[in-house]
Amino acid sequence: MGENLNIEKLRAAVTGEIDAQRHQLSELSLKIHANPELGFHEVKATAWLTRYLEENGFSIERGICELPTAFRGSYGQRKPTIAILAEYDALPGLGHACGHNLIAACAVGAAVASKLAIDQLGGSILVIGTPAEEGGGGKIINSGEGVFNNVDMAMMVHPGVYNVATTRALANQSLEVEFFGKAAHAAARPEAGINALEAMLNSFAAINSLRQHIKDKARIHGIITDGGQAANIVPAHSAGSFLVRAEDNTYLDELKERVLNCFIGAATASGARLEYRWGKTRYAPMRNNLTLARLFRQNMQSLGRRMQLFNLSSAFGSTDMGNVSQLVPGIHPIVAIAPKDVLGHSPQFAEAAASEAGIRGLVDAAKALAMTAVDLVANPEIAVKVKEEFKQSK
Ligand SMILES: [Zn+2]
Ligand SMILES: [Zn+2]
């Protein structure tokens, strides 16, 4: 009983701490929003975030994994080690249209408040600063460098249009394709040319045919980045950029081969030479730890924000948090900051990421993360359950 009271007090203390920091956290997120930086170039954001952590007693390692804008902030030495992940990259042309400015401030706010629990009960809190979520796969690089080796669980919250404790994220790999043909006068000597653009167009046609016969949640999409130089020259070169996504890694492997065959077929038909390169980093599907997700949801609901465990109508994307969730138990809940009809990666979402609703989402998410950290350090049996579930779902 006495212990329960103590936990309740700690919960109140961490949420109180976030209320006390609300102004600073809001300023921090608005400053990042007003200074959007693309993946791997988030110099200002990392400077502001690490300064905030340092001022609040965290020790900081900058430039981890040879990524200048990746960092680790640590507080406490004992187990369990709870990692809270921060994203802070923006989108080209749209600024913070994915709301990563909110993720960043939420992560550092939650971590600083969690210190109160660490001081009383032990455990440690890490903030992992993960650059370039939008395509660069910062967390995949971090994972490869062993950043999560001693981590017991990893959490982050992403803004969206629903309150939902789990995320559906697809495995995803990029593909760069080039065709090399032969230039010729398009009217005088068309028979002498090899048309690299037609090879690309036939590849699209083949992929469109393939699309009818693939599994439900798989996605294939691409753009042409070079389609020739002039209409009166048979295009000697064409290039395209594609993404292939699937619900699991096994199907992604199968689909990759079938997509590649579309290009190989088009190369054979046209006589153009094909060169291709799969992206080095593959985004893994999200493996939601339901023990953690339920705990987070309960804490979020205690703040008066209704949250679903699953939302089958929520959109699919891909996130490099998927890769982290394959290594350690993890969650990536979504907190609503805009009405359901607002699209992610749109100017309207960028606006929401700097709105009062955005700041409310940041504050609630930081509180729920910090309360979840309290639960994890206060109840070793929950931490054990989280790990068991992870082992069993492997
Ligand atoms: Zn995004
Ligand atoms: Zn995002």
Side-chain angles (χ1 to χ4, degrees), residues 91 98 100 133-134 158 345:
L91 288 157
C98 207
H100 294 185
E133 193 282 325
E134 301 285 359
H158 199 295
H345 291 194

